[in-house]
Amino acid sequence: MVWDIISKYVKYFVSVDDSYAAVGMRILGNPLGYDLKIISGESGAVTSGVAYKLMTEDSLYKYKEELELDENSVVYCVSTEGDTDKEGYRDIVWNGKYPFL
């Protein structure tokens, strides 16, 4: 039933492994320049991780092109959680769980 609703309103959908969420958590928690630090858990950070990887990984170029993403794109990512699992957060961000190879 949920898929019936989503399929009517969503043009693209992705399913990714935990490494995408991990890279999103690391990026949000360690901003560059004047960006604000965001402490985000896995489900909140996965959108940022996907956006980052789409823009930086040559192997994902065809998807980036399909979505018409470039350096002028504005991508709106919603983080739905903080570090609700403090040990899990540290294990990913500090200890390198789910490295992106």
Side-chain angles (χ1 to χ4, degrees):
M1 179 166 162
V2 171
W3 182 249
D4 293 334
I5 295 169
I6 291 173
S7 66
K8 291 178 185 173
Y9 299 100
V10 176
K11 188 171 181 180
Y12 298 99
F13 180 87
V14 303
S15 177
V16 297
D17 64 51
D18 291 335
S19 64
Y20 285 81
V23 77
M25 291 168 68
R26 292 180 187 116
I27 290 168
L28 292 172
N30 298 281
L32 299 175
Y34 296 104
D35 290 343
L36 297 176
K37 180 178 185 176
I38 299 171
I39 303 299
S40 180
E42 295 95 316
S43 66
V46 69
T47 54
S48 296
V50 168
Y52 174 78
K53 286 300 186 181
L54 282 170
M55 296 304 293
T56 61
E57 291 291 321
D58 290 338
S59 64
L60 300 175
Y61 181 79
K62 68 180 181 178
Y63 302 110
K64 177 179 150 181
E65 289 294 301
E66 174 70 23
L67 294 168
E68 299 179 8
L69 291 175
D70 63 24
E71 65 277 357
N72 298 307
S73 297
V74 176
V75 178
Y76 180 70
C77 296
V78 177
S79 178
T80 57
E81 70 169 326
D83 61 339
T84 55
D85 174 5
K86 303 239 185 260
E87 284 185 34
Y89 180 86
R90 286 187 197 105
D91 207 22
I92 292 169
V93 176
W94 293 8
N95 300 328
K97 185 176 182 181
Y98 305 119
F100 206 96
L101 305 174

